[in-house]
Amino acid sequence: VQLQASGGGLVQAGGSLRLSCAASESIFSAAKMGWYRQIPGNQRELVASITTGGTTDYAESVEGRFTISADNRKNTVTLQMDSLKPEDTAVYYCNVRRSFTPTFNYWGQGTLVTVSS
């Protein structure tokens, strides 16, 4: 299974970007889809997640600014990022995982988001 992430780029503070992640196979059933980000030298951190049932969870730092959504039929997960701040600058990774049998944990290749002040 491959996850293809896209949508990163350079944006000014206060602007918006939309990240998309497409899975090569239908794996969104009974799974959790998420976006993580990583700054060089730091650990990868969860930004937002959504379950197949639509339950969402957000990091406190992005609550109210980012919105995660998933299309289970198209096997895509999207992160709409608004009111971006310089501290949102990072490489963003999409992830799809299932913690019960059959388990899996897939990562996308990462897409760079740079927010200038």
Side-chain angles (χ1 to χ4, degrees):
V1 176
Q2 293 186 343
L3 300 182
Q4 182 68 43
S6 61
L10 173 64
V11 64
Q12 289 188 332
S16 299
L17 280 175
R18 186 178 180 90
L19 305 182
S20 294
C21 179
S24 59
E25 297 180 23
S26 180
I27 57 171
F28 282 23
S29 175
K32 178 178 285 189
M33 290 69 70
W35 286 94
Y36 290 72
R37 65 187 181 188
Q38 187 171 24
I39 300 170
N42 288 19
Q43 287 189 334
R44 194 170 296 185
E45 64 173 2
L46 176 67
V47 175
S49 66
I50 184 168
T51 66
T52 303
T55 301
T56 58
D57 186 32
Y58 294 93
E60 185 176 341
S61 60
V62 306
E63 184 83 51
R65 299 188 297 120
F66 291 11
T67 303
I68 189 170
S69 60
D71 187 326
N72 297 337
R73 293 177 301 171
K74 295 182 179 180
N75 301 310
T76 58
V77 56
T78 300
L79 185 67
Q80 177 66 41
M81 305 185 294
D82 299 317
S83 302
L84 282 160
K85 304 176 180 180
E87 51 264 42
D88 295 318
T89 296
V91 177
Y92 284 70
Y93 298 88
C94 60
N95 172 264
V96 182
R97 65 181 62 191
R98 180 186 292 159
S99 58
F100 54 90
T101 302
T103 62
F104 56 75
N105 187 11
Y106 299 116
W107 291 93
Q109 83 281 11
T111 184
L112 177 62
V113 171
T114 304
V115 184
S116 62
S117 58

